[in-house]
Amino acid sequence: MPRPLARTDPIEERAPEVIRILTDAYPGATVALNHSNPLEILIATILSAQCTDAKVNEVTATLFVKYRTPQDYLAVPEDELRADIKPTGFFNQKATSIRETCRRLIEVYDGEVPDTMEELITLRGVARKTANIVLSNGFGKVEGIPVDTHVKRLANRIGFSEHSDPDKIEQDLMRLIPREQWSPFSYVLIDHGRRICHARKPQCEVCPIEPLCPSSQL
């Protein structure tokens, strides 16, 4: 009978069990940003920078009624858009990113959100994390793993990656996680980060992967 896996075992050996346990712990984990089309998930993800998903959803509940197309975001004075998104924080930068993104959508993509990584990352305020979220939730395409602050923290703590750069963390995760789980497992990690593996004080005593975690504080 094989011995139980331990936190000191190589990550390649621990990873499948960590993925299984966490996936079972958070069934149905999915993106928390409310949206009904690719433009909405794009705008919501831009607004989510340094802001909670709950606050973004509060703002977009009325924002997406007022602004339905890229043209709508350019039809109002920038100060009006800033006021509409102010509760999400950093509203000056976000308003500029949204307007420039919408301008490019109109000028280059006939007012439609593009559906490739290469095209999405040409939009202002859009890096691989945002592009991955838009692709998977707006188009059902999975080309990578979105690495937000929760995913970054957990990837480091669990030992899935030693890097701090999100792109390098993504590459490490893509090697360890089966491709069919790339998108859903990112939301599993986010849920685990929000509920148990908190930034300041992780609740290791109730963590289902504590025996496998090299960062356990127990």
Side-chain angles (χ1 to χ4, degrees):
M1 184 175 180
R3 67 172 179 82
L5 289 168
R7 60 176 60 91
T8 54
D9 288 326
I11 187 56
E12 290 78 12
E13 296 179 17
R14 289 187 289 116
E17 185 67 0
V18 168
I19 293 167
R20 183 193 67 78
I21 292 172
L22 287 180
T23 299
D24 288 346
Y26 303 97
T30 188
V31 66
L33 296 170
N34 295 334
H35 66 282
S36 62
N37 58 55
L39 179 62
E40 290 184 356
I41 189 62
L42 172 59
I43 299 300
T45 307
I46 291 174
L47 293 176
S48 71
Q50 303 297 313
C51 182
T52 66
D53 290 346
K55 178 57 68 176
V56 172
N57 288 338
E58 287 181 21
V59 170
T60 58
T62 54
L63 191 76
F64 291 161
V65 174
K66 180 176 180 179
Y67 302 90
R68 297 179 180 274
T69 68
Q71 290 83 352
D72 292 339
Y73 288 96
L74 298 175
V76 301
E78 188 160 343
D79 284 345
E80 184 173 341
L81 177 59
R82 288 172 179 164
D84 289 338
I85 65 173
K86 186 174 182 178
T88 68
F90 300 95
F91 54 91
N92 290 327
Q93 301 95 311
K94 290 177 182 179
T96 299
S97 292
I98 289 171
R99 284 169 64 88
E100 289 305 309
T101 283
C102 288
R103 197 183 313 279
R104 183 168 176 81
L105 292 181
I106 294 167
E107 294 176 352
V108 181
Y109 301 111
D110 297 321
E112 300 294 329
V113 177
D115 64 352
T116 69
M117 175 67 71
E118 293 72 22
E119 292 171 314
L120 282 167
I121 60 176
T122 68
L123 303 175
R124 179 158 178 161
V126 176
R128 281 192 61 91
K129 183 201 81 170
T130 296
N132 275 318
I133 292 172
V134 172
L135 286 172
S136 61
N137 294 283
F139 299 101
K141 295 184 175 183
V142 178
E143 294 189 21
I145 299 171
V147 178
D148 74 346
T149 55
H150 295 291
V151 174
K152 176 181 177 180
R153 180 174 74 254
L154 268 68
N156 290 158
R157 282 181 177 172
I158 296 169
F160 277 19
S161 178
E162 296 180 352
H163 295 292
S164 59
D165 178 76
D167 289 349
K168 292 180 179 179
I169 292 173
E170 182 185 8
Q171 293 301 313
D172 287 340
L173 294 177
M174 288 165 67
R175 283 192 290 270
L176 290 170
I177 301 168
R179 186 183 180 95
E180 66 273 13
Q181 292 180 267
W182 282 359
S183 179
F185 193 68
S186 67
Y187 300 116
V188 166
L189 289 177
I190 290 170
D191 280 359
H192 189 58
R194 286 174 174 159
R195 299 184 193 181
I196 293 177
C197 197
H198 305 142
R200 293 185 179 179
K201 190 175 181 181
Q203 295 179 275
C204 298
E205 66 277 6
V206 295
C207 178
I209 59 167
E210 187 277 330
L212 301 174
C213 180
S215 301
S216 172
Q217 297 182 7
L218 297 182

